[in-house]
Amino acid sequence: KLYFMLGLPTETMDDIEGIAQLCKDVRENYYTLPREARTAPPHIGASASTFVPKPHTAFQWEPQASVEQIMEKQRYLRDRMKMKYVDLAWHEPYTSVIEAAFSRGDRRLCAVLARAFELGCRFDGWSEYFSYEKWRKAFADCCLTPEQYACRRIDTDADLPWDHIFHGVSKSYLGREYRRALAGQTTPDCRQGCQGCGLQTRASVCKNMPGGENASHLQV
């Protein structure tokens, strides 16, 4: 089983081509085995989910690709993945955009959720029950659209609906990680030295966080 993601920031079509090539390479590697070791045909299951920006992560400011962009990339990948013994699964882009909207939503989405319930939305995790049209109407009835939340790039200096929730890692650190990710730079493992993320432990507080030298009494 191989797991991939479409729509990540800085993604190019070469990256998507690489998904197909990797699956092909894995399949071809099977045929390097001696014939007596090939007890059954290879079965490669590849899954391509859609990037959903999440709060408290380095990509919380990034937009999700539009439904049209996601569908175009899925079509391209399906065409490139027409290989024997390789099965491709993917997430429906309409559910992904609703997921992204609620992921980065604010309190106004409470009204959207209530309206969707009134319109009959139930068990939306199952595709046979999910109705994108009802969700779009729920947003529209509240003078909103899913794209306002899912497909908008947010300025790193902007106040975020979840800023009041303290989870240990500082927003400034996430901003640094965001810039490093866009530049293709990796961050060393914490075991190689503290990176100053601000994360607290039950026993102590990282000394690199503001006030860390005198804040060891704080607990998670």
Side-chain angles (χ1 to χ4, degrees):
K1 292 185 178 181
L2 301 174
Y3 298 91
F4 303 97
M5 187 172 290
L6 298 177
L8 283 164
T10 76
E11 179 183 78
T12 67
M13 294 307 290
D14 285 341
D15 297 316
I16 299 176
E17 179 67 29
I19 293 175
Q21 185 61 50
L22 178 57
C23 291
K24 181 179 180 180
D25 291 345
V26 171
R27 186 191 64 171
E28 294 305 312
N29 189 61
Y30 169 82
Y31 294 102
T32 65
L33 295 172
R35 283 189 175 274
E36 60 272 16
R38 304 177 201 171
T39 57
H43 180 205
I44 300 170
S47 175
S49 60
T50 300
F51 166 69
V52 175
K54 297 293 179 65
H56 309 303
T57 69
F59 287 153
Q60 63 184 353
W61 297 281
E62 275 291 297
Q64 184 184 60
S66 68
V67 168
E68 292 74 23
Q69 290 171 326
I70 295 170
M71 293 178 70
E72 178 185 355
K73 292 178 179 182
Q74 289 177 340
R75 281 194 297 267
Y76 179 86
L77 188 57
R78 288 200 300 271
D79 289 341
R80 300 294 295 136
M81 294 279 281
K82 292 178 180 178
M83 312 175 200
K84 194 174 182 179
Y85 305 131
V86 178
D87 295 322
L88 176 66
W90 60 90
H91 289 183
E92 289 298 327
Y94 298 111
T95 58
S96 294
V97 73
I98 297 298
E99 180 185 349
F102 276 95
S103 173
R104 298 204 300 178
D106 53 30
R107 65 187 64 190
R108 290 178 293 178
L109 293 193
C110 293
V112 174
L113 188 61
R115 181 61 182 141
F117 181 81
E118 292 172 352
L119 292 172
C121 292
R122 307 284 194 282
F123 304 108
D124 295 278
W126 286 271
S127 58
E128 61 267 31
Y129 294 108
F130 178 77
S131 172
Y132 187 58
E133 293 74 17
K134 290 180 180 178
W135 277 105
R136 288 211 69 93
K137 177 170 174 52
F139 274 86
D141 288 351
C142 297
C143 301
L144 298 170
T145 68
E147 290 78 12
Q148 284 178 250
Y149 297 98
C151 303
R152 177 172 61 93
R153 176 172 281 105
I154 303 174
D155 191 274
T156 52
D157 295 328
D159 292 330
L160 301 173
W162 50 89
D163 275 346
H164 65 288
I165 302 173
F166 180 67
H167 57 96
V169 177
S170 67
K171 187 177 179 181
S172 60
Y173 174 78
L174 293 177
R176 293 198 302 273
E177 286 294 281
Y178 175 46
R179 291 186 290 273
R180 290 177 67 87
L182 295 182
Q185 299 174 345
T186 58
T187 298
D189 191 298
C190 293
R191 290 169 293 186
Q192 300 176 22
C194 180
Q195 303 303 313
C197 71
L199 183 64
Q200 303 177 38
T201 67
R202 292 188 180 276
S204 63
V205 173
C206 177
K207 292 183 179 181
N208 288 342
M209 72 179 289
E213 290 286 354
N214 303 310
S216 59
H217 65 283
L218 294 177
Q219 300 287 319
V220 174

